[in-house]
Each structure stands twice: as C-alpha cells, then as structure tokens.
Short mmCIF file of all heavy atoms in Angstrom, two decimals:
data_model
loop_
_atom_site.label_atom_id
_atom_site.label_comp_id
_atom_site.label_asym_id
_atom_site.label_seq_id
_atom_site.Cartn_x
_atom_site.Cartn_y
_atom_site.Cartn_z
N MET A 1 -83.99 182.08 -110.26
CA MET A 1 -83.49 182.46 -111.57
C MET A 1 -82.36 181.51 -111.96
O MET A 1 -81.39 181.36 -111.24
CB MET A 1 -82.97 183.89 -111.51
CG MET A 1 -82.45 184.39 -112.80
SD MET A 1 -82.09 186.16 -112.66
CE MET A 1 -80.55 186.20 -113.47
N LYS A 2 -82.50 180.89 -113.10
CA LYS A 2 -81.50 179.95 -113.58
C LYS A 2 -80.64 180.63 -114.65
O LYS A 2 -81.17 181.21 -115.60
CB LYS A 2 -82.17 178.72 -114.17
CG LYS A 2 -81.19 177.67 -114.63
CD LYS A 2 -81.90 176.46 -115.19
CE LYS A 2 -80.87 175.48 -115.72
NZ LYS A 2 -81.49 174.34 -116.36
N ILE A 3 -79.33 180.55 -114.47
CA ILE A 3 -78.41 181.12 -115.44
C ILE A 3 -77.87 179.98 -116.30
O ILE A 3 -77.32 179.02 -115.79
CB ILE A 3 -77.26 181.85 -114.74
CG1 ILE A 3 -77.80 183.00 -113.90
CG2 ILE A 3 -76.25 182.36 -115.78
CD1 ILE A 3 -76.76 183.70 -113.08
N GLU A 4 -78.07 180.10 -117.60
CA GLU A 4 -77.60 179.06 -118.51
C GLU A 4 -76.12 179.25 -118.80
O GLU A 4 -75.63 180.36 -118.90
CB GLU A 4 -78.37 179.12 -119.82
CG GLU A 4 -79.84 178.80 -119.67
CD GLU A 4 -80.54 178.85 -121.01
OE1 GLU A 4 -79.91 178.54 -122.03
OE2 GLU A 4 -81.72 179.20 -121.02
N THR A 5 -75.42 178.13 -118.94
CA THR A 5 -74.02 178.22 -119.33
C THR A 5 -73.94 178.34 -120.84
O THR A 5 -74.75 177.77 -121.57
CB THR A 5 -73.22 176.99 -118.85
OG1 THR A 5 -73.84 175.82 -119.39
CG2 THR A 5 -73.21 176.90 -117.34
N ILE A 6 -72.98 179.09 -121.30
CA ILE A 6 -72.81 179.30 -122.74
C ILE A 6 -71.96 178.18 -123.30
O ILE A 6 -70.96 177.78 -122.71
CB ILE A 6 -72.15 180.66 -122.99
CG1 ILE A 6 -73.07 181.78 -122.49
CG2 ILE A 6 -71.83 180.85 -124.47
CD1 ILE A 6 -72.47 183.15 -122.57
N GLU A 7 -72.37 177.65 -124.43
CA GLU A 7 -71.62 176.59 -125.10
C GLU A 7 -70.21 177.07 -125.40
O GLU A 7 -69.98 178.25 -125.67
CB GLU A 7 -72.31 176.18 -126.40
CG GLU A 7 -73.67 175.57 -126.21
CD GLU A 7 -73.63 174.25 -125.47
OE1 GLU A 7 -72.69 173.47 -125.68
OE2 GLU A 7 -74.54 174.01 -124.66
N THR A 8 -69.26 176.16 -125.36
CA THR A 8 -67.85 176.50 -125.56
C THR A 8 -67.62 177.24 -126.87
O THR A 8 -66.88 178.22 -126.90
CB THR A 8 -66.99 175.22 -125.53
OG1 THR A 8 -67.24 174.54 -124.30
CG2 THR A 8 -65.53 175.54 -125.64
N GLU A 9 -68.26 176.81 -127.95
CA GLU A 9 -68.02 177.45 -129.24
C GLU A 9 -68.57 178.87 -129.29
O GLU A 9 -68.08 179.71 -130.04
CB GLU A 9 -68.59 176.63 -130.38
CG GLU A 9 -70.10 176.44 -130.32
CD GLU A 9 -70.59 175.44 -131.34
OE1 GLU A 9 -69.96 174.39 -131.49
OE2 GLU A 9 -71.61 175.75 -131.98
N ASP A 10 -69.58 179.16 -128.48
CA ASP A 10 -70.15 180.50 -128.45
C ASP A 10 -69.43 181.41 -127.45
O ASP A 10 -69.59 182.62 -127.50
CB ASP A 10 -71.63 180.44 -128.07
CG ASP A 10 -72.46 179.75 -129.13
OD1 ASP A 10 -72.06 179.77 -130.30
OD2 ASP A 10 -73.50 179.18 -128.76
N ARG A 11 -68.64 180.83 -126.57
CA ARG A 11 -67.99 181.59 -125.51
C ARG A 11 -67.08 182.67 -126.09
O ARG A 11 -67.12 183.82 -125.65
CB ARG A 11 -67.20 180.66 -124.60
CG ARG A 11 -66.62 181.34 -123.39
CD ARG A 11 -65.99 180.31 -122.44
NE ARG A 11 -65.62 180.93 -121.21
CZ ARG A 11 -64.46 181.55 -120.99
NH1 ARG A 11 -63.56 181.60 -121.95
NH2 ARG A 11 -64.21 182.10 -119.83
N GLY A 12 -66.25 182.33 -127.06
CA GLY A 12 -65.35 183.31 -127.66
C GLY A 12 -66.10 184.44 -128.32
O GLY A 12 -65.72 185.61 -128.19
N THR A 13 -67.18 184.11 -129.02
CA THR A 13 -68.00 185.12 -129.68
C THR A 13 -68.61 186.07 -128.65
O THR A 13 -68.62 187.28 -128.84
CB THR A 13 -69.11 184.45 -130.50
OG1 THR A 13 -68.49 183.57 -131.44
CG2 THR A 13 -69.96 185.47 -131.23
N GLU A 14 -69.13 185.49 -127.58
CA GLU A 14 -69.74 186.30 -126.52
C GLU A 14 -68.70 187.18 -125.83
O GLU A 14 -68.97 188.34 -125.51
CB GLU A 14 -70.43 185.41 -125.49
CG GLU A 14 -71.66 184.70 -126.02
CD GLU A 14 -72.79 185.67 -126.34
OE1 GLU A 14 -72.94 186.69 -125.64
OE2 GLU A 14 -73.52 185.42 -127.30
N LEU A 15 -67.50 186.65 -125.61
CA LEU A 15 -66.45 187.44 -124.98
C LEU A 15 -66.01 188.60 -125.89
O LEU A 15 -65.73 189.69 -125.40
CB LEU A 15 -65.26 186.56 -124.62
CG LEU A 15 -65.46 185.66 -123.39
CD1 LEU A 15 -64.33 184.66 -123.27
CD2 LEU A 15 -65.60 186.49 -122.12
N MET A 16 -65.95 188.35 -127.20
CA MET A 16 -65.60 189.43 -128.12
C MET A 16 -66.68 190.52 -128.10
O MET A 16 -66.37 191.71 -128.14
CB MET A 16 -65.40 188.91 -129.54
CG MET A 16 -64.09 188.18 -129.76
SD MET A 16 -62.60 189.10 -129.27
CE MET A 16 -62.70 190.54 -130.29
N ALA A 17 -67.93 190.11 -128.04
CA ALA A 17 -69.02 191.09 -127.97
C ALA A 17 -68.92 191.90 -126.67
O ALA A 17 -69.11 193.12 -126.67
CB ALA A 17 -70.37 190.38 -128.06
N LEU A 18 -68.60 191.22 -125.59
CA LEU A 18 -68.44 191.91 -124.31
C LEU A 18 -67.25 192.87 -124.36
O LEU A 18 -67.33 193.99 -123.86
CB LEU A 18 -68.26 190.88 -123.19
CG LEU A 18 -68.12 191.42 -121.78
CD1 LEU A 18 -69.33 192.26 -121.38
CD2 LEU A 18 -67.92 190.27 -120.80
N ALA A 19 -66.16 192.45 -125.00
CA ALA A 19 -64.99 193.31 -125.13
C ALA A 19 -65.33 194.57 -125.93
O ALA A 19 -64.89 195.67 -125.58
CB ALA A 19 -63.84 192.55 -125.79
N ARG A 20 -66.11 194.40 -127.00
CA ARG A 20 -66.52 195.57 -127.79
C ARG A 20 -67.36 196.54 -126.96
O ARG A 20 -67.19 197.76 -127.04
CB ARG A 20 -67.30 195.13 -129.02
CG ARG A 20 -66.46 194.48 -130.08
CD ARG A 20 -67.30 194.16 -131.32
NE ARG A 20 -66.62 193.18 -132.12
CZ ARG A 20 -66.91 191.88 -132.13
NH1 ARG A 20 -67.91 191.42 -131.41
NH2 ARG A 20 -66.23 191.05 -132.88
N LEU A 21 -68.26 195.98 -126.16
CA LEU A 21 -69.12 196.80 -125.31
C LEU A 21 -68.29 197.58 -124.28
O LEU A 21 -68.46 198.78 -124.11
CB LEU A 21 -70.14 195.91 -124.59
CG LEU A 21 -71.05 196.58 -123.59
CD1 LEU A 21 -72.07 197.43 -124.32
CD2 LEU A 21 -71.74 195.55 -122.73
N VAL A 22 -67.36 196.89 -123.63
CA VAL A 22 -66.52 197.54 -122.62
C VAL A 22 -65.61 198.58 -123.29
O VAL A 22 -65.40 199.66 -122.74
CB VAL A 22 -65.71 196.50 -121.82
CG1 VAL A 22 -64.74 197.17 -120.86
CG2 VAL A 22 -66.64 195.57 -121.04
N ALA A 23 -65.08 198.26 -124.47
CA ALA A 23 -64.22 199.21 -125.19
C ALA A 23 -64.99 200.48 -125.55
O ALA A 23 -64.45 201.59 -125.43
CB ALA A 23 -63.65 198.56 -126.45
N PHE A 24 -66.24 200.32 -125.96
CA PHE A 24 -67.07 201.49 -126.27
C PHE A 24 -67.27 202.34 -125.02
O PHE A 24 -67.13 203.57 -125.06
CB PHE A 24 -68.42 201.06 -126.84
CG PHE A 24 -69.33 202.21 -127.14
CD1 PHE A 24 -69.16 202.96 -128.30
CD2 PHE A 24 -70.33 202.57 -126.26
CE1 PHE A 24 -69.99 204.04 -128.58
CE2 PHE A 24 -71.16 203.65 -126.52
CZ PHE A 24 -70.99 204.38 -127.68
N ALA A 25 -67.58 201.68 -123.90
CA ALA A 25 -67.77 202.41 -122.63
C ALA A 25 -66.47 203.09 -122.20
O ALA A 25 -66.49 204.21 -121.69
CB ALA A 25 -68.26 201.45 -121.55
N LEU A 26 -65.34 202.42 -122.42
CA LEU A 26 -64.04 203.00 -122.07
C LEU A 26 -63.77 204.26 -122.89
O LEU A 26 -63.33 205.28 -122.35
CB LEU A 26 -62.94 201.96 -122.30
CG LEU A 26 -61.50 202.42 -122.09
CD1 LEU A 26 -61.27 202.93 -120.69
CD2 LEU A 26 -60.55 201.27 -122.41
N GLU A 27 -64.04 204.21 -124.19
CA GLU A 27 -63.85 205.39 -125.03
C GLU A 27 -64.77 206.53 -124.59
O GLU A 27 -64.37 207.69 -124.60
CB GLU A 27 -64.08 205.04 -126.50
CG GLU A 27 -63.04 204.11 -127.08
CD GLU A 27 -61.63 204.66 -127.01
OE1 GLU A 27 -61.42 205.86 -127.32
OE2 GLU A 27 -60.72 203.90 -126.64
N SER A 28 -65.98 206.19 -124.18
CA SER A 28 -66.91 207.22 -123.69
C SER A 28 -66.40 207.85 -122.41
O SER A 28 -66.46 209.07 -122.23
CB SER A 28 -68.30 206.62 -123.45
OG SER A 28 -68.88 206.21 -124.65
N ALA A 29 -65.88 207.02 -121.50
CA ALA A 29 -65.33 207.52 -120.24
C ALA A 29 -64.14 208.44 -120.50
O ALA A 29 -63.99 209.47 -119.84
CB ALA A 29 -64.93 206.36 -119.34
N LYS A 30 -63.31 208.07 -121.48
CA LYS A 30 -62.16 208.92 -121.83
C LYS A 30 -62.63 210.27 -122.34
O LYS A 30 -62.09 211.31 -121.96
CB LYS A 30 -61.29 208.24 -122.89
CG LYS A 30 -60.46 207.13 -122.35
CD LYS A 30 -59.64 206.49 -123.46
CE LYS A 30 -58.82 205.33 -122.93
NZ LYS A 30 -58.03 204.68 -124.00
N SER A 31 -63.64 210.26 -123.21
CA SER A 31 -64.11 211.53 -123.77
C SER A 31 -64.80 212.40 -122.73
O SER A 31 -64.81 213.62 -122.85
CB SER A 31 -65.05 211.27 -124.95
OG SER A 31 -66.25 210.70 -124.51
N LEU A 32 -65.34 211.78 -121.69
CA LEU A 32 -65.98 212.52 -120.60
C LEU A 32 -64.99 212.90 -119.50
O LEU A 32 -65.37 213.55 -118.53
CB LEU A 32 -67.12 211.69 -120.00
CG LEU A 32 -68.30 211.43 -120.93
CD1 LEU A 32 -69.22 210.39 -120.32
CD2 LEU A 32 -69.04 212.72 -121.21
N ASN A 33 -63.74 212.45 -119.65
CA ASN A 33 -62.70 212.68 -118.65
C ASN A 33 -63.13 212.14 -117.28
O ASN A 33 -62.89 212.76 -116.25
CB ASN A 33 -62.34 214.17 -118.57
CG ASN A 33 -60.97 214.37 -117.95
OD1 ASN A 33 -60.11 213.49 -118.02
ND2 ASN A 33 -60.76 215.52 -117.36
N ALA A 34 -63.77 210.98 -117.30
CA ALA A 34 -64.20 210.29 -116.07
C ALA A 34 -63.10 209.31 -115.68
O ALA A 34 -63.13 208.14 -116.05
CB ALA A 34 -65.53 209.59 -116.30
N GLU A 35 -62.11 209.81 -114.94
CA GLU A 35 -60.90 209.06 -114.69
C GLU A 35 -61.12 207.75 -113.93
O GLU A 35 -60.52 206.72 -114.28
CB GLU A 35 -59.90 209.93 -113.94
CG GLU A 35 -59.39 211.09 -114.77
CD GLU A 35 -58.47 212.01 -114.00
OE1 GLU A 35 -58.13 211.70 -112.84
OE2 GLU A 35 -58.10 213.05 -114.56
N VAL A 36 -61.96 207.75 -112.92
CA VAL A 36 -62.18 206.53 -112.14
C VAL A 36 -62.89 205.49 -113.00
O VAL A 36 -62.50 204.32 -113.03
CB VAL A 36 -62.98 206.82 -110.85
CG1 VAL A 36 -63.33 205.53 -110.13
CG2 VAL A 36 -62.19 207.75 -109.94
N ALA A 37 -63.90 205.90 -113.74
CA ALA A 37 -64.61 204.97 -114.63
C ALA A 37 -63.67 204.47 -115.71
O ALA A 37 -63.68 203.27 -116.05
CB ALA A 37 -65.82 205.67 -115.26
N GLU A 38 -62.83 205.34 -116.25
CA GLU A 38 -61.87 204.95 -117.26
C GLU A 38 -60.91 203.89 -116.73
O GLU A 38 -60.65 202.88 -117.40
CB GLU A 38 -61.08 206.17 -117.73
CG GLU A 38 -60.08 205.90 -118.81
CD GLU A 38 -59.31 207.14 -119.21
OE1 GLU A 38 -59.77 208.27 -118.95
OE2 GLU A 38 -58.22 206.96 -119.79
N PHE A 39 -60.42 204.08 -115.52
CA PHE A 39 -59.50 203.12 -114.90
C PHE A 39 -60.17 201.75 -114.74
O PHE A 39 -59.60 200.73 -115.12
CB PHE A 39 -59.03 203.64 -113.53
CG PHE A 39 -58.18 202.68 -112.77
CD1 PHE A 39 -56.83 202.55 -113.06
CD2 PHE A 39 -58.73 201.88 -111.78
CE1 PHE A 39 -56.04 201.64 -112.37
CE2 PHE A 39 -57.96 200.98 -111.08
CZ PHE A 39 -56.60 200.86 -111.37
N CYS A 40 -61.38 201.75 -114.20
CA CYS A 40 -62.11 200.50 -113.98
C CYS A 40 -62.45 199.79 -115.29
O CYS A 40 -62.30 198.57 -115.39
CB CYS A 40 -63.37 200.76 -113.16
SG CYS A 40 -63.04 201.32 -111.48
N LEU A 41 -62.89 200.54 -116.27
CA LEU A 41 -63.23 199.95 -117.57
C LEU A 41 -62.00 199.41 -118.28
O LEU A 41 -62.06 198.37 -118.95
CB LEU A 41 -63.96 200.96 -118.44
CG LEU A 41 -65.39 201.26 -117.99
CD1 LEU A 41 -65.89 202.53 -118.68
CD2 LEU A 41 -66.30 200.09 -118.26
N ASP A 42 -60.86 200.08 -118.12
CA ASP A 42 -59.62 199.59 -118.70
C ASP A 42 -59.25 198.24 -118.09
O ASP A 42 -58.90 197.30 -118.81
CB ASP A 42 -58.50 200.60 -118.48
CG ASP A 42 -57.20 200.16 -119.12
OD1 ASP A 42 -57.18 200.03 -120.36
OD2 ASP A 42 -56.22 199.95 -118.38
N LYS A 43 -59.36 198.12 -116.78
CA LYS A 43 -59.08 196.84 -116.11
C LYS A 43 -60.06 195.78 -116.56
O LYS A 43 -59.69 194.62 -116.78
CB LYS A 43 -59.14 197.01 -114.58
CG LYS A 43 -58.07 197.90 -114.03
CD LYS A 43 -56.70 197.33 -114.27
CE LYS A 43 -55.63 198.22 -113.71
NZ LYS A 43 -54.29 197.80 -114.10
N ALA A 44 -61.33 196.14 -116.71
CA ALA A 44 -62.35 195.19 -117.15
C ALA A 44 -62.06 194.70 -118.57
O ALA A 44 -62.18 193.51 -118.86
CB ALA A 44 -63.73 195.83 -117.08
N LEU A 45 -61.66 195.61 -119.44
CA LEU A 45 -61.35 195.24 -120.82
C LEU A 45 -60.17 194.28 -120.87
O LEU A 45 -60.20 193.28 -121.57
CB LEU A 45 -61.08 196.48 -121.67
CG LEU A 45 -60.79 196.22 -123.14
CD1 LEU A 45 -61.91 195.44 -123.81
CD2 LEU A 45 -60.55 197.53 -123.87
N HIS A 46 -59.14 194.56 -120.09
CA HIS A 46 -57.99 193.65 -120.04
C HIS A 46 -58.41 192.27 -119.56
O HIS A 46 -57.99 191.25 -120.14
CB HIS A 46 -56.90 194.20 -119.11
CG HIS A 46 -56.16 195.36 -119.69
ND1 HIS A 46 -55.13 195.23 -120.57
CD2 HIS A 46 -56.33 196.68 -119.50
CE1 HIS A 46 -54.68 196.42 -120.90
NE2 HIS A 46 -55.41 197.33 -120.27
N ALA A 47 -59.26 192.21 -118.55
CA ALA A 47 -59.72 190.93 -118.02
C ALA A 47 -60.51 190.14 -119.06
O ALA A 47 -60.33 188.93 -119.21
CB ALA A 47 -60.56 191.15 -116.76
N VAL A 48 -61.38 190.82 -119.79
CA VAL A 48 -62.18 190.14 -120.82
C VAL A 48 -61.27 189.64 -121.94
O VAL A 48 -61.40 188.50 -122.39
CB VAL A 48 -63.27 191.08 -121.39
CG1 VAL A 48 -63.97 190.44 -122.58
CG2 VAL A 48 -64.30 191.41 -120.31
N LEU A 49 -60.35 190.47 -122.39
CA LEU A 49 -59.46 190.08 -123.49
C LEU A 49 -58.59 188.88 -123.10
O LEU A 49 -58.30 188.03 -123.95
CB LEU A 49 -58.59 191.25 -123.93
CG LEU A 49 -59.33 192.39 -124.64
CD1 LEU A 49 -58.39 193.56 -124.90
CD2 LEU A 49 -59.98 191.92 -125.92
N GLU A 50 -58.20 188.78 -121.85
CA GLU A 50 -57.40 187.65 -121.39
C GLU A 50 -58.19 186.34 -121.42
O GLU A 50 -57.61 185.27 -121.48
CB GLU A 50 -56.88 187.90 -119.98
CG GLU A 50 -55.77 188.92 -119.93
CD GLU A 50 -55.32 189.23 -118.52
OE1 GLU A 50 -55.86 188.64 -117.56
OE2 GLU A 50 -54.41 190.07 -118.37
N GLN A 51 -59.51 186.42 -121.37
CA GLN A 51 -60.36 185.24 -121.34
C GLN A 51 -60.67 184.67 -122.72
O GLN A 51 -61.20 183.57 -122.83
CB GLN A 51 -61.69 185.57 -120.64
CG GLN A 51 -61.53 185.90 -119.18
CD GLN A 51 -61.05 184.72 -118.37
OE1 GLN A 51 -61.58 183.62 -118.50
NE2 GLN A 51 -60.05 184.94 -117.56
N ILE A 52 -60.32 185.42 -123.77
CA ILE A 52 -60.64 184.97 -125.12
C ILE A 52 -59.67 183.87 -125.53
O ILE A 52 -58.45 184.05 -125.47
CB ILE A 52 -60.59 186.14 -126.11
CG1 ILE A 52 -61.65 187.17 -125.71
CG2 ILE A 52 -60.81 185.67 -127.54
CD1 ILE A 52 -61.57 188.47 -126.46
N ASP A 53 -60.21 182.72 -125.93
CA ASP A 53 -59.38 181.56 -126.24
C ASP A 53 -58.75 181.66 -127.63
O ASP A 53 -59.14 182.48 -128.46
CB ASP A 53 -60.16 180.26 -126.10
CG ASP A 53 -61.40 180.23 -126.99
OD1 ASP A 53 -61.65 181.21 -127.72
OD2 ASP A 53 -62.11 179.22 -126.95
N GLU A 54 -57.77 180.80 -127.90
CA GLU A 54 -57.03 180.84 -129.16
C GLU A 54 -57.90 180.64 -130.40
O GLU A 54 -57.77 181.37 -131.37
CB GLU A 54 -55.89 179.81 -129.13
CG GLU A 54 -54.92 179.97 -130.26
CD GLU A 54 -54.21 181.32 -130.30
OE1 GLU A 54 -53.92 181.88 -129.23
OE2 GLU A 54 -53.99 181.84 -131.41
N PRO A 55 -58.83 179.66 -130.41
CA PRO A 55 -59.68 179.52 -131.61
C PRO A 55 -60.48 180.79 -131.94
O PRO A 55 -60.64 181.15 -133.10
CB PRO A 55 -60.61 178.36 -131.27
CG PRO A 55 -59.86 177.57 -130.26
CD PRO A 55 -59.07 178.58 -129.46
N SER A 56 -60.93 181.48 -130.91
CA SER A 56 -61.68 182.72 -131.14
C SER A 56 -60.77 183.80 -131.67
O SER A 56 -61.17 184.63 -132.48
CB SER A 56 -62.34 183.18 -129.85
OG SER A 56 -63.28 182.23 -129.43
N ARG A 57 -59.53 183.83 -131.21
CA ARG A 57 -58.58 184.82 -131.70
C ARG A 57 -58.30 184.63 -133.19
O ARG A 57 -57.99 185.57 -133.89
CB ARG A 57 -57.28 184.77 -130.91
CG ARG A 57 -57.41 185.29 -129.50
CD ARG A 57 -56.09 185.19 -128.76
NE ARG A 57 -56.26 185.52 -127.37
CZ ARG A 57 -55.95 186.71 -126.85
NH1 ARG A 57 -55.44 187.65 -127.61
NH2 ARG A 57 -56.13 186.94 -125.57
N MET A 58 -58.41 183.39 -133.67
CA MET A 58 -58.17 183.11 -135.09
C MET A 58 -59.25 183.75 -135.97
O MET A 58 -59.04 183.99 -137.15
CB MET A 58 -58.13 181.60 -135.35
CG MET A 58 -57.02 180.88 -134.61
SD MET A 58 -55.38 181.41 -135.11
CE MET A 58 -55.28 180.61 -136.68
N ALA A 59 -60.42 184.02 -135.39
CA ALA A 59 -61.54 184.58 -136.15
C ALA A 59 -61.67 186.09 -135.95
O ALA A 59 -62.70 186.66 -136.27
CB ALA A 59 -62.83 183.88 -135.72
N LEU A 60 -60.62 186.74 -135.47
CA LEU A 60 -60.69 188.17 -135.23
C LEU A 60 -60.84 188.95 -136.53
O LEU A 60 -60.22 188.63 -137.53
CB LEU A 60 -59.42 188.65 -134.52
CG LEU A 60 -59.22 188.19 -133.08
CD1 LEU A 60 -57.84 188.62 -132.60
CD2 LEU A 60 -60.29 188.74 -132.17
N THR A 61 -61.66 189.98 -136.48
CA THR A 61 -61.79 190.89 -137.61
C THR A 61 -60.78 192.03 -137.45
O THR A 61 -60.16 192.18 -136.41
CB THR A 61 -63.21 191.48 -137.67
OG1 THR A 61 -63.40 192.30 -136.52
CG2 THR A 61 -64.27 190.39 -137.71
N SER A 62 -60.65 192.85 -138.46
CA SER A 62 -59.73 193.98 -138.36
C SER A 62 -60.17 194.94 -137.26
O SER A 62 -59.34 195.51 -136.56
CB SER A 62 -59.63 194.71 -139.69
OG SER A 62 -60.89 195.17 -140.11
N SER A 63 -61.46 195.09 -137.06
CA SER A 63 -61.96 195.95 -135.98
C SER A 63 -61.58 195.39 -134.62
O SER A 63 -61.25 196.14 -133.70
CB SER A 63 -63.49 196.08 -136.06
OG SER A 63 -63.85 196.71 -137.24
N ASP A 64 -61.63 194.07 -134.48
CA ASP A 64 -61.25 193.44 -133.22
C ASP A 64 -59.77 193.65 -132.94
O ASP A 64 -59.38 193.89 -131.80
CB ASP A 64 -61.55 191.93 -133.25
CG ASP A 64 -63.03 191.65 -133.38
OD1 ASP A 64 -63.85 192.45 -132.88
OD2 ASP A 64 -63.37 190.62 -133.98
N ILE A 65 -58.96 193.58 -133.98
CA ILE A 65 -57.52 193.77 -133.82
C ILE A 65 -57.23 195.21 -133.38
O ILE A 65 -56.40 195.45 -132.50
CB ILE A 65 -56.77 193.40 -135.11
CG1 ILE A 65 -56.89 191.89 -135.34
CG2 ILE A 65 -55.31 193.83 -135.05
CD1 ILE A 65 -56.45 191.42 -136.70
N VAL A 66 -57.94 196.17 -133.96
CA VAL A 66 -57.79 197.56 -133.53
C VAL A 66 -58.17 197.68 -132.06
O VAL A 66 -57.48 198.35 -131.29
CB VAL A 66 -58.66 198.50 -134.41
CG1 VAL A 66 -58.74 199.89 -133.80
CG2 VAL A 66 -58.11 198.56 -135.82
N LEU A 67 -59.24 197.04 -131.66
CA LEU A 67 -59.68 197.05 -130.27
C LEU A 67 -58.57 196.53 -129.36
O LEU A 67 -58.24 197.13 -128.35
CB LEU A 67 -60.93 196.18 -130.11
CG LEU A 67 -61.34 195.78 -128.70
CD1 LEU A 67 -61.99 196.96 -128.01
CD2 LEU A 67 -62.26 194.59 -128.72
N MET A 68 -57.97 195.42 -129.73
CA MET A 68 -56.94 194.82 -128.89
C MET A 68 -55.67 195.65 -128.90
O MET A 68 -54.98 195.74 -127.88
CB MET A 68 -56.66 193.40 -129.35
CG MET A 68 -57.86 192.49 -129.14
SD MET A 68 -57.56 190.83 -129.69
CE MET A 68 -56.92 190.15 -128.16
N ASN A 69 -55.35 196.28 -130.01
CA ASN A 69 -54.14 197.11 -130.07
C ASN A 69 -54.32 198.40 -129.28
O ASN A 69 -53.35 198.94 -128.76
CB ASN A 69 -53.78 197.45 -131.52
CG ASN A 69 -53.21 196.26 -132.24
OD1 ASN A 69 -52.67 195.35 -131.63
ND2 ASN A 69 -53.32 196.26 -133.56
N ARG A 70 -55.54 198.90 -129.19
CA ARG A 70 -55.81 200.10 -128.43
C ARG A 70 -55.68 199.83 -126.93
O ARG A 70 -55.36 200.71 -126.16
CB ARG A 70 -57.23 200.60 -128.70
CG ARG A 70 -57.24 202.00 -129.24
CD ARG A 70 -58.60 202.56 -129.28
NE ARG A 70 -59.34 201.98 -130.40
CZ ARG A 70 -60.63 201.92 -130.48
NH1 ARG A 70 -61.39 202.39 -129.54
NH2 ARG A 70 -61.21 201.39 -131.52
N SER A 71 -55.91 198.60 -126.54
CA SER A 71 -55.87 198.22 -125.14
C SER A 71 -54.96 197.01 -124.97
O SER A 71 -55.44 195.88 -124.85
CB SER A 71 -57.27 197.89 -124.63
OG SER A 71 -58.10 198.99 -124.80
N PRO A 72 -53.64 197.21 -125.01
CA PRO A 72 -52.73 196.08 -124.92
C PRO A 72 -52.85 195.36 -123.59
O PRO A 72 -53.12 195.97 -122.57
CB PRO A 72 -51.35 196.72 -125.08
CG PRO A 72 -51.54 198.15 -124.70
CD PRO A 72 -52.95 198.50 -125.03
N LEU A 73 -52.69 194.05 -123.66
CA LEU A 73 -52.75 193.25 -122.43
C LEU A 73 -51.53 193.53 -121.57
O LEU A 73 -50.44 193.75 -122.08
CB LEU A 73 -52.83 191.76 -122.78
CG LEU A 73 -54.07 191.33 -123.55
CD1 LEU A 73 -53.95 189.87 -123.94
CD2 LEU A 73 -55.32 191.54 -122.71
N CYS A 74 -51.71 193.48 -120.27
CA CYS A 74 -50.59 193.71 -119.33
C CYS A 74 -49.58 192.58 -119.43
O CYS A 74 -49.87 191.48 -119.62
CB CYS A 74 -51.11 193.79 -117.91
SG CYS A 74 -52.18 195.21 -117.64
#
C-alpha cells in the first residue's frame, strides 16, 4: 500500500478538515459524558491545530475561528 504525500498548499486545508472532524467527535464525547474519549480527542485537536501553518490560518473562516476558540492551544 502506497501512501501519497499531500502537496504543501493542500496540507493546511486537509489539517483544517481534520480539526473539524476531531472537534465534532470531541463535542459528541462531551455530550455522551465519555471522559476518557473526551480527554484523548482534546489532546488530538490541540495537536492538529498546532500543525496548521500561518498561510492556512490566514484563510480561516468564522466557523474555524470558533473551533479554535473553543479549544485553545496549550
């Protein structure tokens, strides 16, 4: 199985999509009171958000900003 590398310009977009996915899962874990899953997903979201580069941050939408404000970086 060959894993393709993502082009640099698409990396930020893909990371934002991944952050949205993890944020959705985190909100679901919170509503289910699944504390261990919530803890792990919170750490995962922080890790993904730290990987987003500056040019991608310039293209953030208002929804993305809400996502980042809900989960502040350590």
Side-chain angles (χ1 to χ4, degrees):
M1 181 172 136
K2 183 180 176 184
I3 299 175
E4 295 182 31
T5 57
I6 297 175
E7 296 295 323
T8 305
E9 62 189 44
D10 294 334
R11 186 173 189 273
T13 302
E14 291 293 326
L15 285 170
M16 284 307 301
L18 182 58
R20 288 184 199 101
L21 176 73
V22 175
F24 178 80
L26 175 59
E27 293 300 316
S28 294
K30 285 179 182 179
S31 69
L32 294 169
N33 201 26
E35 294 176 6
V36 175
E38 182 181 340
F39 175 81
C40 294
L41 288 165
D42 183 62
K43 295 297 180 189
L45 182 56
H46 287 278
V48 172
L49 291 174
E50 287 176 1
Q51 295 294 312
I52 298 171
D53 58 0
E54 191 60 36
S56 296
R57 289 179 188 260
M58 298 297 286
L60 291 173
T61 66
S62 59
S63 297
D64 296 329
I65 293 168
V66 168
L67 165 76
M68 294 179 90
N69 287 335
R70 239 190 284 157
S71 302
L73 296 175
C74 296

